[in-house]
Every structure is written in structure tokens, then in C-alpha cells.
Amino acid sequence: MAAPRETPERRLFGRRFLTDPARLFQHNAWDNVEWSEEQEASARSKVQENSSQLLPQDKQEEYEVNAKRYWDEFYKIHENGFFKDRHWLFTEFPELAPNRNPSQNGDCVHEFSNKEESNNEGLGSCENGHCSLETRAENQLNLIKSTPKICTEELATRKCSELNQNDGDYLGSSASYRILEVGCGAGNTVFPILQTNNDPGLFVYCCDFSTTAVDLVQNNAEYDSSRCFAFVHDLCNDQSPFPMPDKSLDVVILIFVLSAILPEKMQCIINRLSRLLKPGGMILLRDYGRYDLAQLRFKKGQCLSDNFYVRGDGTRVYFFTQDELDDLFTTAGLEKIQNLVDRRLQVNRGKQMTMYRVWIQCKYRKPATSQL
């Protein structure tokens, strides 16, 4: 076998694997890869280099003001073809299907199932600074190509307000288990949940900043309005209502969403989402960790502030530490159930390339006696 291709990422992290390339390329992924001090120092140096030149303040404000437009354009270009269905969700977050057979969830909560990855050479693809962890499902969702429903933010706000007019009577009020997915995109989380969780008492809310993304969800062949409600929502707008009252949700899920928000607005958002939880309800998060491949690939001139960058398409991304996320959740009155780093080596055997990913996974619960 030819020697693996030398890349910047391999130069930073991959020396120990070069001694046995045949062993390296036997698998698509290596879980829980340990980093040496030298590897972490190299990553830190790379980040210092690409953060040395910040964008001017006026350009930063432009990206904040036009954030919705950039995400709309992203989904118009990619529709539901970029991010893949997240069938790993139920291994990592069994709370999304609590009645599922436990044997289906794997033996270890922090390990990924490789079932869908076994024949995929494009694992961990990156495009325009977007690096997805999802792999292609066997059956992708079919998008209905008919005229999309009109789903503007104004319409969604009005509908949510109308739903909450009757005290105790709101969409999904009769459900016994309610999940809210924030930042639903094209539905790569919500549809696996609806397919897997057959609880007749389940109701799933899902929202996104992008009108285009919500249109994609609503026009999907598997969208079931009796079990799901997709709506446009601006998390950063305190006046943008939710269609459900406080203390009504069992689970709020954030998958690579919080990282797209201006860092100084994150605490208010977590506070607001925490109020929606029932006592004992949980927020589940999966997001980018510090020194992930995506962070190391940024060039000078793309940094907005410490560990916060703008991609070439105008969308933004932050890279977290465990302590930062713990502070956000505990300040909101939640208690830690899980806060772990998954450092993973992904391999593209076809291209003989390695990619080092860093993700953080969290579970935080609202105390049973919480007054929030």
C-alpha cells in the first residue's frame, strides 16, 4: 500500500500512524484518539496563526445583521443533500426514543455506531468550512418538488401567538412526551426521531432561523403534522414566541447549532430554552470542540473573535471547550449529567487521507425542584 498522503492535519497530528499505514487504513474511524502534548501544542499554534488577523468591526456587524440571509442561501444551494441523516442519535442520546430496546443503543454511550460508515469513503466530508460528522443513510429522504408552503418568520410568529391564546390548549398539548429540536435544518434529526420513536404520545417541535430550511422540512414526504410542527424561529429574538409554554418540554436538542450564534448571545438563549423544560427535562447538545479539523482549516482573515470564525459562505461557527459549555448550562440552573470530548480520527481510504475531529457532547437536566 502506498504511503498515506501528507496533509497539514497529518503533519499536526498523524506522525504516530505513519509508522503503520496498513493498520491505519483498515478502518474508517478511530474513536477516543488520545492527543500528545506536542499534538495539542501544534493545534494551538495553528489557531493562533489563523486568529492573528481579525475582520474589521463593520464586517462583523454585517455578518450578524445578514445571518438569516446567509443560512437561507446555504439551504437553497444544498437543500437536504449536505448534512446526512443522524442515525447515530439513538446511540448517543437514547432519551430521544426512551421506549426503544436498550440493546439497540449499544453498550457505551460515548461511542459511535459504525454500522452506516462501513462502506463510506467520504466520511467526515468538509465543504466551504462546513464539516459534517454524519454519514450517508441508505435511504435519503425524498423532497417533494411541488410548490413549497409559505413559511415566513412573521407567519410563524403569528401562528405561535394564536396557538398560545387558549390557556393550556396549544399544539402538542395532548402529547405525553415533547421534544424540541432547535436548528432543524433540512430535517436530518427530526425525521430519524419520528421514524424511530413510535410512542403514540410523542410530539416533536422543530425550528430553524432559515425559512428555506423550514420549507424543506414541511415539504418532505415524511413530514407528519399530527406528530410534528416545524416553524421559523430566531433564537436571538426574545420577542419571537415558541408554540409551547414554559415547563412543557421533556427534551431540547441542539446539534451543531449553538456554535453558529454570536458568543455573547449564547447565555440568554440557554436561559430561555431552560425555561421551556419540565422539571427533570434535559438539554442534549453535540457541537464543535476546540481544535477540531474545521477550526484548523480556517485561513487568516476569517476570524471574528477568539475561536469564532466566518466561513466563505457567510455562515459562522464557534469552537467550544467543556468548561465554556458547563458555565452556560449551570448558569441557566441546569445540572450536569454528561459533558465529554470525543476526539476521533476519521479515515478516507479512497483518498488515503486522515481527518481529526473534536466534538463535545453534553446532557444537562433541569432539577426536579427547579423554580425556573
Side-chain angles (χ1 to χ4, degrees), residues 125-282:
S125 62
C126 292
E127 181 176 334
N128 197 19
H130 294 273
C131 291
S132 62
L133 80 161
E134 304 85 0
T135 58
R136 185 174 300 277
E138 291 181 3
N139 298 309
Q140 289 191 359
L141 301 173
N142 295 318
L143 180 68
I144 297 176
K145 296 299 183 180
S146 58
T147 304
K149 300 175 184 178
I150 299 174
C151 186
T152 64
E153 185 173 358
E154 293 77 15
L155 180 61
T157 299
R158 185 166 64 251
K159 188 169 184 179
C160 289
S161 297
E162 292 170 354
L163 288 169
N164 284 325
Q165 282 181 355
N166 296 324
D167 188 26
D169 185 16
Y170 56 93
L171 192 64
S173 60
S174 62
S176 57
Y177 199 77
R178 303 183 195 92
I179 296 173
L180 168 64
E181 187 204 355
V182 179
C184 62
N188 304 105
T189 294
V190 67
F191 290 119
I193 292 174
L194 292 172
Q195 293 161 0
T196 303
N197 189 333
N198 296 317
D199 182 353
L202 173 71
F203 196 88
V204 181
Y205 307 90
C206 60
C207 63
D208 201 281
F209 193 29
S210 167
T211 302
T212 304
V214 173
D215 284 340
L216 288 168
V217 173
Q218 290 186 339
N219 285 300
N220 194 287
E222 301 207 23
Y223 182 73
D224 182 354
S225 59
S226 69
R227 304 182 70 214
C228 178
F229 176 53
F231 59 102
V232 179
H233 186 84
D234 182 358
L235 276 177
C236 298
N237 180 3
D238 289 342
Q239 303 307 310
S240 181
F242 286 105
M244 78 292 290
D246 289 350
K247 300 182 181 180
S248 63
L249 296 177
D250 295 276
V251 175
V252 172
I253 183 163
L254 299 163
I255 305 293
F256 297 97
V257 172
L258 196 61
S259 54
I261 293 167
L262 198 66
E264 48 263 44
K265 295 185 177 182
M266 291 179 183
Q267 187 65 67
C268 289
I269 287 168
I270 297 300
N271 291 348
R272 192 167 176 235
L273 293 174
S274 298
R275 290 195 292 269
L276 294 174
L277 291 174
K278 298 176 181 177
M282 297 180 69

